[in-house]
Amino acid sequence: MLNDETLPSALEIAVAVRSGSLSARQVVGEALVRIATLNPELTAVTNVLKERALREAKAVDEQVARGEDPGPLAGVPYAVKDLFDVAGLATTAGSATRLSAEPATDDALAIKRLRGAGAVLVATLNMDEFAYGFLTNNHHWGTTRNPHDKDRFAGGSSGGSAAAVAAGMVAFSLGSDTNGSIRIPASLCGVYGMKPSHGRLPPEGTYPFVESLDDIGPFARSAADLSLVCKILGAERNSPTETPSRFRVARLGGWFEAGLAPQVREAFDSLAGTIADQANVEWPQVAAARAAAYLITAHEGSTLHRQALADNAMGFDPATRDRFLSGLLLPDAAYEEALTFRRAYQQQIDSLFDRYDLLLAPTTHGPAPRIDEPTITIDGVTKPAGAVMGLFTQPVSFVDLPVVAAPLKGLDLPVGVQLIGRRGEDETVLAFAKMLEERGLIGAQPFSRELVES
Amino acid sequence: MTSDPFTDFLQEDATALFSDLRRAVGSTVDETCEQGCLAALEVLSTQWRVLRQAMQAGELEC
């Protein structure tokens, strides 16, 4: 199982465990060994839940021995971002200020649903403090490194979630996305990530950042695994809409094609040229949408943390603290104007889907920035990476749309494409991702263990 | 004071704003936060300006 070229999918693990040809304890034991081996170099994992994981794995094996079906994720090891409640642990949301918080008395609802499907929780994962960042350079736990080049960032804020899956520590993971925090690290680590339609997957038992924009979602090494985990997490929702047999696809132009790194442009053009209409679709008023997302984030995030700042401002990561404080200085009128804009804007964007089922856009301008040089150069202008990393993702989540970030092929370092669907039609986006994967047009970047251990 | 919150906001003295914040939020907000906080505030005011301009251009019925 530790052969890097043949990292098993969640589906493959579950089939083997359900058939009795592989024990859940063996699978989970191997995941724990892999975490112990790779995490010192990557800093993806913050807590290893060894006892709990072995106990859950034993329960799965006992079900199989009794002839019962443990579920479609039987024995599959996974991990969650540090903002999911895990019974018995303080939910830190990546902040040292919450290390002494009361431990959670129960698991987050998403974890309960996954346990009901036989999945085994093995670890919690690093993130930017309170999810306010795109790099995962955590002030307390350290910087999560990219498994494809450990001198580069993993992206954020769910960087631990992406890196753990890319490095094969776990078969899938959970993270959260407010302005790009699933899509960006998935893209930079060469795995799949799903930002669902807003509110589609259960947030109960997670630590919020910006409640009107937050969504939880999975990371996986295949579109099929991603789809399975989404189905389990959203099991109690209405039955899915029928997915089309043929997809009407267009690429976004203008803002979404400006300043791409040459290799990314080539890979994106190659994919879009194969599957999309010739005509580009213009996403209107992108800068205003991003600005409004920025203002809503600052206002809601800052309001949430106002009391914590009053109690212990200097315990925060300075970068997070200063941005939250600035949000407290922002007049309410700015927030109200951003909300007004958002309501009208959503209707305008919905109309883009009258002619198309899916829209394509890159996730980032280029590969992960170097840790010793945290900048991005776009069209010859160099800026702090954290300030511009969300240029392609913020305008999309601002209007609540479902997006799969999927790995482009043909790149030395990973970059993803956003497959953007109509609001509420998550199944269409997942079906499209699976179709592209089956046709060999997208696919997780293979992980080379030597890159981490060298 | 004008009737426009945006104009009023731009006319505020940033350091005075920060002092108000320290009084309002509490003494745990150290003066070492001021520089970073005001830099972040500058970014927010730029974003508000971008949003304002778009809304005033009337391309969207808000």
Side-chain angles (χ1 to χ4, degrees):
Chain A
M1 296 281 269
L2 289 181
N3 181 341
D4 294 313
E5 296 306 313
T6 57
L7 286 172
S9 71
L11 279 162
E12 289 167 340
I13 293 170
V15 166
V17 170
R18 290 166 102 179
S19 72
S21 64
L22 188 65
S23 79
R25 273 173 289 188
Q26 185 184 347
V27 178
V28 167
E30 287 175 359
L32 293 170
V33 168
R34 198 167 175 100
I35 290 170
T37 307
L38 298 178
N39 198 54
E41 292 290 333
L42 295 177
T43 317
V45 168
T46 50
N47 290 291
V48 178
L49 309 172
K50 183 178 178 183
E51 285 182 22
R52 172 181 170 143
L54 292 174
R55 191 171 62 243
E56 287 186 3
K58 182 168 178 274
V60 168
D61 288 337
E62 287 170 351
Q63 280 183 285
V64 173
R66 288 196 300 269
E68 299 168 7
D69 183 359
L73 288 172
V76 178
Y78 77 102
V80 296
K81 187 175 182 177
D82 256 338
L83 51 66
F84 285 77
D85 284 352
V86 176
L89 295 183
T91 308
T92 66
S95 180
T97 64
R98 291 189 49 79
L99 282 170
S100 57
E102 286 291 315
T105 55
D106 204 355
D107 290 336
L109 180 54
I111 294 175
K112 288 181 186 176
R113 287 186 179 169
L114 292 169
R115 188 170 65 238
V120 177
L121 180 63
V122 300
T124 65
L125 299 164
N126 200 18
M127 60 183 284
D128 285 302
E129 186 181 51
F130 293 121
Y132 209 171
F134 287 133
L135 297 172
T136 311
N137 51 348
N138 187 286
H139 196 57
H140 180 73
W141 278 271
T143 298
T144 297
R145 291 172 179 270
N146 194 310
H148 296 286
D149 180 346
K150 64 184 180 183
D151 293 328
R152 294 176 185 267
F153 288 107
S157 66
S158 311
S161 303
V165 171
M169 295 177 181
V170 286
F172 72 93
S173 66
L174 299 184
S176 66
D177 189 313
T178 304
N179 287 299
S181 286
I182 286 175
R183 290 163 286 160
I184 289 169
S187 171
L188 301 184
C189 289
V191 296
Y192 293 83
M194 173 75 178
K195 192 221 82 74
S197 296
H198 182 58
R200 183 68 179 264
L201 299 184
E204 291 86 349
T206 61
Y207 197 93
F209 172 28
V210 180
E211 288 190 77
S212 70
L213 294 170
D214 291 342
D215 281 295
I216 67 159
F219 293 79
R221 289 189 296 271
S222 77
D225 281 358
L226 197 74
S227 186
L228 173 62
V229 175
C230 283
K231 187 176 174 189
I232 290 162
L233 289 174
E236 291 178 11
R237 299 295 167 118
N238 295 331
S239 58
T241 53
E242 195 174 329
T243 55
S245 54
R246 289 191 63 214
F247 299 96
R248 299 171 300 161
V249 185
R251 63 186 290 176
L252 295 177
W255 174 285
F256 291 95
E257 56 182 3
L260 293 179
Q263 207 186 17
V264 176
R265 180 178 298 281
E266 192 177 328
F268 184 69
D269 284 350
S270 171
L271 175 68
T274 306
I275 61 173
D277 277 6
Q278 291 302 308
N280 288 357
V281 166
E282 292 300 318
W283 187 281
Q285 294 188 288
V286 192
R290 182 167 178 260
Y294 220 106
L295 296 170
I296 291 171
T297 299
H299 180 90
E300 290 189 26
S302 301
T303 303
L304 178 70
H305 292 283
R306 185 185 183 97
Q307 187 57 50
L309 289 163
D311 293 340
N312 181 20
M314 305 315 285
F316 282 59
D317 176 340
T320 316
R321 177 197 64 213
D322 294 350
R323 283 180 293 162
F324 279 145
L325 288 172
S326 72
L328 292 175
L329 292 171
L330 192 68
D332 289 348
Y335 176 60
E336 286 155 13
E337 286 176 18
L339 291 181
T340 301
F341 177 83
R342 187 181 185 194
R343 282 190 290 272
Y345 189 70
Q346 279 175 329
Q347 293 174 8
Q348 189 176 14
I349 294 300
D350 285 349
S351 69
L352 295 182
F353 290 93
D354 291 346
R355 287 188 297 140
Y356 295 102
D357 302 307
L358 291 133
L359 300 173
L360 308 181
T363 307
T364 58
H365 290 81
R370 290 184 58 85
I371 293 170
D372 61 1
E373 193 180 347
T375 58
I376 294 176
T377 301
I378 301 172
D379 285 337
V381 180
T382 300
K383 294 184 175 174
V388 293
M389 194 72 91
L391 282 171
F392 293 155
T393 54
Q394 277 180 289
V396 179
S397 38
F398 179 61
V399 282
D400 300 342
L401 304 179
V403 189
V404 168
L408 285 165
K409 285 200 157 181
L411 294 167
D412 296 331
L413 286 168
V415 172
V417 56
Q418 294 185 91
L419 313 175
I420 305 164
R422 191 181 285 114
R423 193 171 346 145
E425 297 193 3
D426 301 45
E427 287 77 12
T428 298
V429 185
L430 289 161
F432 183 62
K434 281 168 70 175
M435 185 272 288
L436 294 184
E437 183 176 66
E438 285 161 10
R439 288 177 58 186
L441 297 171
I442 54 173
Q445 187 116 338
F447 167 68
S448 169
R449 191 173 179 140
E450 287 71 31
L451 289 174
V452 172
E453 294 180 332
S454 62
Chain B
M1 293 283 284
T2 70
S3 59
D4 178 20
F6 181 65
T7 306
D8 292 343
F9 175 61
L10 293 183
Q11 288 172 350
E12 289 270 12
D13 177 77
T15 302
L17 268 178
F18 185 74
S19 297
D20 290 346
L21 175 77
R22 289 187 69 194
R23 275 194 294 277
V25 174
S27 57
T28 66
V29 180
D30 194 289
E31 64 273 3
T32 57
C33 309
E34 180 169 352
Q35 195 178 353
C37 177
L38 297 183
L41 190 62
E42 183 63 31
V43 174
L44 290 180
S45 65
T46 301
Q47 298 300 333
W48 195 6
R49 182 178 289 109
V50 169
L51 177 63
R52 272 267 163 144
Q53 286 168 348
M55 291 175 82
Q56 285 168 356
E59 290 174 37
L60 197 63
E61 246 181 71
C62 295

